[in-house]
Every structure is written in structure tokens, then in C-alpha cells.
Amino acid sequence: MKKIAFVLFTVLSLVSCSKEENNITPTDGQYVGYVEYSNDNNDYNTTFCLTLENGECTDFIIYNSAEYFNYYRPADISTKGSYPKYTYRINDFTVQAQFSGFESFTANLSGTLRTHKDNMPTLIGEVYKSIAVEASNVHFQLDNTPLDANGDGLLDSKQ
């Protein structure tokens, strides 16, 4: 009887341990990554900012040269996977993240983001701009420092 009780205790301990491991998530906050690339003889510096809560992407901001685009929920942001591998999709743009700790990850970025510019009405309807990015091994680090403290759409570091 003692052996059966010991085996049951051991099995229950293992089940509860594996259940806890599934609840591992990266630290909540703002993760920032930088990509530099050339397109059409122009050089671009793009800053990507993902806000994560319990491993899910809840906000996605791009600072592309002198432009700012914010993809916040209820935008089409989806999260798949579990720690340490996640895939974040924002419209037709994919961020494949591999966490190396609870406060940093390396990502492959691919796809095109179509950005809506509310402040640019035209006679033909809404104005969209596309940003196409293909980048591998982009390092993202937890950084809760405001990137645009005054809210003017420009990175504070670029002013």
C-alpha cells in the first residue's frame, strides 16, 4: 500500500510540475529592436516596439525614419506558441521570436505592413503606405523607457 501511495504521489508531483512549466512567459513590457536597411537608394532606420502581456503581443509600434505607425488591439495582432518560441502576426507581417531569457529575444521579421494614414484624406479614399521588411536575427530587449515621451511620433533619440 505504501508503494502505491508513493507512486501516486510521484505521478501527481510530476503532473503539477509540468503544468507550472506551461505557464512560463516572458517579462511583461515593451521590447525594442532595430533594423537598418537600404531600399531604392535610400537608407532606413526602423525601430520596432512590441508590447507583451503574458507572452501575447498587445501593441506593435514602428518608427520608420520620420514616420510613426501604431498597431494596437483591436488591430489584427495574433500570438501563437509558448515560451520560448512565439510567432506574432500583425496583418501580413510576421515576427518569429526565440526568447533567450525572460527579457530578450531574437526574431526573424518578414512581410509587408500596410499602414493607414488617418491624417491624409484624398478624393480616392483612404491612403495606405507599405513597409516591406525581411530581416533575420534581430535582437529585441525589454526596454520600458518611453521612446516618444512627447508623443509627436518621432523617436526622442532622433530629435
Side-chain angles (χ1 to χ4, degrees):
M1 187 63 143
K2 289 182 181 180
K3 288 182 182 180
I4 292 173
F6 178 74
V7 169
L8 285 174
F9 177 75
T10 303
V11 169
L12 288 174
S13 297
L14 292 175
V15 169
S16 65
C17 288
S18 64
K19 203 173 198 180
E20 288 176 17
E21 289 176 12
N22 291 338
N23 293 331
I24 295 173
T25 59
T27 304
D28 289 352
Q30 171 180 275
Y31 289 80
V32 180
Y34 305 95
V35 175
E36 295 180 12
Y37 62 97
S38 295
N39 190 0
D40 300 328
N41 296 325
N42 293 315
D43 293 328
Y44 296 96
N45 295 317
T46 303
T47 301
F48 295 91
C49 178
L50 284 80
T51 302
L52 304 182
E53 292 179 16
N54 296 318
E56 290 196 25
C57 183
T58 59
D59 197 5
F60 182 72
I61 301 171
I62 299 173
Y63 296 91
N64 186 37
S65 298
E67 296 179 286
Y68 161 84
F69 304 100
N70 188 352
Y71 297 86
Y72 56 88
R73 287 192 185 238
D76 192 12
I77 300 173
S78 67
T79 300
K80 292 185 180 173
S82 60
Y83 188 84
K85 292 184 180 183
Y86 291 94
T87 300
Y88 304 110
R89 280 189 63 82
I90 301 94
N91 298 325
D92 294 324
F93 188 74
T94 302
V95 178
Q96 294 177 325
Q98 171 74 42
F99 281 83
S100 55
F102 292 111
E103 297 184 351
S104 65
F105 65 87
T106 302
N108 295 327
L109 312 175
S110 63
T112 301
L113 285 163
R114 210 169 69 160
T115 58
H116 178 75
K117 300 287 284 181
D118 288 327
N119 59 348
M120 295 178 61
T122 67
L123 296 175
I124 58 172
E126 299 173 315
V127 174
Y128 290 93
K129 179 175 179 161
S130 293
I131 299 172
V133 177
E134 299 290 330
S136 299
N137 299 318
V138 178
H139 180 74
F140 283 79
Q141 184 68 42
L142 180 67
D143 182 356
N144 289 316
T145 307
L147 299 177
D148 180 19
N150 64 2
D152 66 358
L154 298 174
L155 284 171
D156 294 342
S157 63
K158 303 288 183 190
Q159 294 184 31

